[in-house]
Amino acid sequence: MKKIVMASANPVKAKAVLQGFQRMFTEETFEIQTLEVPSGVSDQPMTDEETLQGALNRSQRARELISNADYWVGIEGGVYEHENDLHAFAWVVVRSPDGIGKSRSGSFELPSVIRDLVHSGVELGKADDMVFQRYNSKQSNGAIGILTQDVIDRTALYEHAVILALVPFRNRELFGK
């Protein structure tokens, strides 16, 4: 059994990680351990670079805190500006003793009311809850689930990026891992 340490206690992230690993490595079994670690970036990362740094930091900190694992995963959600629109996305970083894999989720435009709240300093999850009258939506379907009526929820958005971050580990001979 392979051990994965997930640098978040968010059940959506843990589910996405476990499902991604299970889909990529059907011949393996996995156990996942979650723990809260700081991202080392803003509560609401506002650029692609800051969001990637948060995922890198989380995976590294998880590895420092729990060294006896096969993989350490950091997921950081963020936003970025494009032509006065605000888009949401996430970075996924997977570390192993012999390498690292990184991938970015798809992105989607946020409504202007949420954009304005985020610009005023409100974290995206809290802005979603305020606008859509939810509680803790970031630990359920998230903005993407709300906006697509769960055609794609937060788990599916992240799972896709987890799978892509595992490409180097699935193809070790091509990536020198």
Side-chain angles (χ1 to χ4, degrees), residues 6-17:
M6 174 66 222
S8 172
N10 185 320
V12 169
K13 292 180 179 182
K15 183 177 179 183
V17 167

Side-chain angles (χ1 to χ4, degrees), residues 65-170:
L65 292 171
I66 302 175
S67 61
N68 63 330
D70 298 287
Y71 299 96
W72 300 268
V73 181
I75 298 177
E76 188 72 20
V79 296
Y80 70 93
E81 296 278 345
H82 180 71
E83 297 179 355
N84 201 37
D85 294 325
L86 192 65
H87 293 256
F89 66 99
W91 269 100
V92 174
V93 173
V94 178
R95 294 180 189 269
S96 78
D98 60 347
I100 188 168
K102 298 176 282 225
S103 181
R104 188 179 181 278
S105 74
S107 64
F108 59 98
E109 183 179 345
L110 295 165
S112 60
V113 63
I114 293 177
R115 179 197 64 214
D116 295 345
L117 285 168
V118 171
H119 282 160
S120 74
V122 177
E123 186 263 333
L124 176 58
K126 186 174 280 300
D128 292 338
D129 290 347
M130 292 167 64
V131 170
F132 299 111
Q133 300 174 349
R134 302 283 180 102
Y135 175 75
N136 204 15
S137 60
K138 69 182 185 177
Q139 290 198 1
S140 60
N141 59 351
I144 188 66
I146 295 166
L147 293 169
T148 66
Q149 288 78 51
D150 290 321
V151 172
I152 298 173
D153 63 12
R154 200 166 186 224
T155 301
L157 183 70
Y158 290 170
E159 180 183 340
H160 186 254
V162 169
I163 290 168
L164 296 175
L166 291 171
V167 165
F169 300 105
R170 182 72 185 184

Side-chain angles (χ1 to χ4, degrees), residues 36-56:
E36 284 293 340
V37 300
S39 68
V41 299
S42 305
D43 287 343
Q44 181 55 71
M46 298 295 290
T47 66
D48 191 61
E49 295 79 12
E50 183 182 20
T51 307
L52 173 57
Q53 190 61 58
L56 287 163

